[in-house]
Each structure stands twice: as C-alpha cells, then as structure tokens.
Amino acid sequence: QLVGSMASSSTAQQRWELENRIQELDSADADAIFHYDQQQQAAIHTQKPWTKDPHYFQHVRISALALLKMAMHCRTGGNIEVMGMMQGKIM
C-alpha cells in the first residue's frame, strides 16, 4: 500500500513539474541567484527600462515551493480575486 502511494505521489510531482516547466539549476547558477550587487540594482532602478518596453520582463525565477504556495492560495480563494506582490531582484 505504501509503495503504491509513494509511486503515485512521485508521478504527481513529475506531472506538476512538467506542467509548470520546472527547471533544476546547477549549483553555480543557483548560488548566483542569491548574489546581490547593490550598484547593479541601483543602476537598473535608475534606468527603469520597463517603462519604455512593456515586455521587458519576460521570465521569472521562483522556487517550486513558492509556485506551489501561490497556486494553492489561488485555489483556496474560490471566486474571490486573489492579488499579491512578488519582490526580488531584477536580473
């Protein structure tokens, strides 16, 4: 019974990762995400390229756990509008 349950959850996780296009990063890329360059971020915030190009932001990197939490939050909202704000650094 336990083996079948584990196989089922593994299959569900694989399906969820495929549907949400989850990409695993190698350790060098994963560590680079957490490096914060204050001068670089200040320059980007000064230039504000997104004000000139509405399609400036095309990709976002979030953890699979954060994505799962957002999806569950939306589902529990029912027919109520769910809003939120994502924060991070501009890459």
Side-chain angles (χ1 to χ4, degrees):
Q1 202 54 277
L2 181 60
V3 174
S5 161
M6 289 174 55
S8 174
S9 67
S10 176
T11 303
Q13 180 178 351
Q14 289 174 346
R15 180 177 168 210
W16 183 82
E17 288 176 355
L18 283 172
E19 288 174 350
N20 293 287
R21 292 188 255 161
I22 303 297
Q23 298 175 354
E24 192 167 331
L25 301 175
D26 64 19
S27 61
D29 286 341
D31 291 342
I33 289 174
F34 298 107
H35 175 72
Y36 185 81
D37 184 342
Q38 188 170 0
Q39 290 178 336
Q40 178 191 39
Q41 292 299 304
I44 292 172
H45 281 277
T46 301
Q47 295 169 1
K48 298 182 182 182
W50 53 88
T51 59
K52 298 175 189 82
D53 179 9
H55 303 289
Y56 177 78
F57 295 107
Q58 295 183 8
H59 302 281
V60 63
R61 289 184 177 176
I62 59 172
S63 72
L65 180 59
L67 176 61
L68 183 60
K69 286 182 177 184
M70 285 187 273
M72 292 188 61
H73 181 68
C74 290
R75 285 188 170 211
T76 58
N79 61 357
I80 300 171
E81 183 176 347
V82 177
M83 294 178 60
M85 180 178 79
M86 286 192 350
Q87 296 185 137
K89 69 177 187 176
I90 301 166
M91 300 178 78

